[in-house]
Amino acid sequence: MSLFKFAFSKEGRKHLLRILLVNLGIILMLWLFLRWYTDHGEQVAVPDLSGMSLADAQAALEDVDLEYLVVDSIYDEKAQGGTVVDQSPAPESKVKEGRQVFLTIYRYAPPQETINIKEGEFAQVAIIKLKNKGIRYEIVQVPNGNMVGSVISITHKGKRLKPGQTISRGEKVVLTVGIAADSNVALPNLVGLTYSQAITLLDSLS
């Protein structure tokens, strides 16, 4: 029997129907699998975690079947350590269950800052470095004709700091700066300086 005649025979139509049903079943199973794979899990709203402690943030996320990961920390002396300052995704974002929420929290302790100030360095340069690192300072002037306007020493809690040593941000150091034996100080030329630069220069000369 030819293929054409077989296709239109009773037995042929049964075979074609079986093939069609099998293919439809495969297509349906693939469609259900893809739908589950790409869209499994319900969508939930990300809670607002701002200001929460890490323990409270974890509990709030667990209530909606979400997880968290701390990816960064920043220091603010006025903020409570361990509390959430930022999150991603943002509050009220719709995400799938089981997703991680990335958190930035406030640090408990201030970061350590490296002090790279050498003896003999210009005092105004040293002051700018300290300000940029958030280190408080006090200037003590002593007569020293060879180091006028330069750093003689830098100390922290009575101990001399060497270049490369670290202290906590917000700590206070003492800069000992040389001045001429004569108590009079030559007024520097401030023309062209910004207000901040002028103040820094004048501070270094008291």
Side-chain angles (χ1 to χ4, degrees):
M1 183 184 295
S2 67
L3 180 62
F4 181 78
K5 288 182 178 180
F6 175 76
F8 284 93
S9 68
K10 185 176 180 180
E11 189 65 24
R13 288 196 298 271
K14 288 181 180 180
H15 282 291
L16 289 175
L17 181 59
R18 290 194 192 101
I19 294 172
L20 180 61
L21 291 175
V22 170
N23 286 333
L24 287 175
I26 293 173
I27 292 171
L28 178 61
M29 290 176 64
L30 285 174
W31 178 77
L32 291 173
F33 173 77
L34 289 173
R35 183 175 180 182
W36 172 84
Y37 182 78
T38 59
D39 204 24
H40 69 284
E42 296 180 2
Q43 296 243 323
V44 295
V46 178
D48 187 355
L49 308 173
S50 179
M52 288 188 182
S53 67
L54 202 53
D56 289 342
Q58 181 179 5
L61 291 172
E62 287 178 349
D63 284 343
V64 289
D65 293 322
L66 296 176
E67 300 177 359
Y68 78 92
L69 178 66
V70 176
V71 295
D72 198 7
S73 61
I74 61 175
Y75 179 72
D76 186 337
E77 61 181 4
K78 297 179 181 178
Q80 182 178 354
T83 55
V84 177
V85 60
D86 193 23
Q87 67 182 84
S88 178
E92 302 305 321
S93 298
K94 296 293 185 180
V95 299
K96 294 177 183 177
E97 292 179 345
R99 169 157 180 183
Q100 283 187 329
V101 177
F102 303 113
L103 303 179
T104 299
I105 64 172
Y106 284 116
R107 297 179 59 155
Y108 287 96
Q112 296 292 300
E113 298 290 352
T114 302
I115 305 301
N116 285 321
I117 295 175
K118 300 177 181 178
E119 295 180 5
E121 190 169 324
F122 286 118
Q124 56 265 41
V125 175
I127 290 172
I128 291 172
K129 288 182 178 180
L130 293 173
K131 287 183 175 179
N132 289 341
K133 291 179 179 290
I135 304 296
R136 297 182 297 119
Y137 63 90
E138 174 187 348
I139 295 176
V140 174
Q141 294 180 322
V142 297
N144 188 319
N146 295 323
M147 299 185 72
V148 176
S150 299
V151 176
I152 297 174
S153 67
I154 175 171
T155 58
H156 175 244
K157 296 181 179 179
K159 295 182 179 180
R160 182 167 294 196
L161 287 175
K162 297 179 180 179
Q165 288 185 294
T166 61
I167 61 174
S168 298
R169 184 182 300 175
E171 292 282 342
K172 185 178 181 180
V173 298
V174 176
L175 279 178
T176 301
V177 179
I179 59 172
D182 188 346
S183 59
N184 293 323
V185 178
L187 184 64
N189 182 10
L190 306 177
V191 176
L193 300 182
T194 66
Y195 175 77
S196 177
Q197 291 171 334
I199 292 299
T200 298
L201 180 55
L202 292 174
D203 279 346
S204 70
L205 300 174
S206 294

